[in-house]
Structures are given as structure tokens and as C-alpha cells.
Amino acid sequence: MHWARPHVNPMLALRNIHCSNRWAEAWQQISITLRQQERAHCKELHQKHRQIRAERFLAQVEENALPTILAPAPTPSSPKKTSPAPQPPHTPAPRTSIPAHNHPWRRLPIGRAQFWPADHFTKN
């Protein structure tokens, strides 16, 4: 076995708990501590990511939004724009043709019973 120096003391602590038959009572405390450490680590990562996102957002605002914010407001004396005439709702084009009975997609066995013979679909 090869052990790293930082892992020796925790390993010895676990071995002492096991050898003294205190595993059941000690494991509850160990699991609580491990969960708390994991939560703290996740919270730290979450805060770090939020800070990075905030910095990126501020950089985008400085690059893109400042010129639009500082753009001059339209004057009230300018002529009003007229809206274009409303167009009728889009209707799909009617179907002009139906594929022939021997079209390739009609012979695909998708969704059909698998126990039919393969030549069943080509007889028609």
C-alpha cells in the first residue's frame, strides 16, 4: 500500500474507532461532519461561480450597453412612424400530391408487426 502523508491520521482514527467497537456511534458523527464539509464546499463553489458570472455581466455591460444607454433620446418634433398594414395569418399551402403506393417511406417496417414476412410489403 502507498499512503499519502495527509491521509495517515484520518485512516488511523477510523482504525481506532473500528478496533474499539465504537463504529455505530462514531459513524453518525463522521457522516454529519462529512455532509457539513460537502455543503460548505458546494456553497463556496456557488459563490465563486456567482462572482464570475457577475464579473462577466459587468464586462458585457461596459462593452455593449453603455453606448446605447448614452444615445440621444428622440426629439418629440420628429415625425411618428406609421406601422405597416396588418397581414393576414399564414395558412399552409394545400397538399398537391400524395406519394405513390410504391414510395420508399410507405414500405418501411416502422410501427408494423415484426412477425409478418419481409415480402408481405412488396407483394402489393
Side-chain angles (χ1 to χ4, degrees), residues 6-58:
H7 301 153
V8 173
N9 284 339
M11 185 62 69
L12 288 175
L14 290 174
R15 179 159 169 74
N16 286 338
I17 291 170
H18 176 72
C19 290
S20 63
N21 293 327
R22 294 182 298 138
W23 187 261
E25 62 191 50
W27 181 248
Q28 291 177 352
Q29 184 61 34
I30 292 170
S31 64
I32 289 170
T33 305
L34 290 174
R35 287 185 187 127
Q36 288 173 347
Q37 289 173 354
E38 180 66 23
R39 278 191 217 113
H41 178 69
C42 288
K43 188 175 182 179
E44 179 183 329
L45 285 177
H46 181 68
Q47 289 174 348
K48 181 180 177 182
H49 288 283
R50 284 185 70 155
Q51 181 180 3
I52 291 171
R53 284 194 304 256
E55 290 171 359
R56 286 181 185 166
F57 176 75
L58 290 176

Side-chain angles (χ1 to χ4, degrees), residues 65-74:
L66 283 181
T68 59
I69 292 172
L70 299 178

Side-chain angles (χ1 to χ4, degrees), residues 86-116:
Q87 297 182 359
H90 174 71
T91 56
R95 208 171 200 185
T96 57
S97 65
I98 297 175
H101 72 282
N102 60 352
H103 195 272
W105 69 264
R106 286 186 177 253
R107 289 179 288 168
L108 292 176
I110 298 173
R112 300 187 183 192
Q114 295 180 0
F115 56 87
W116 287 348

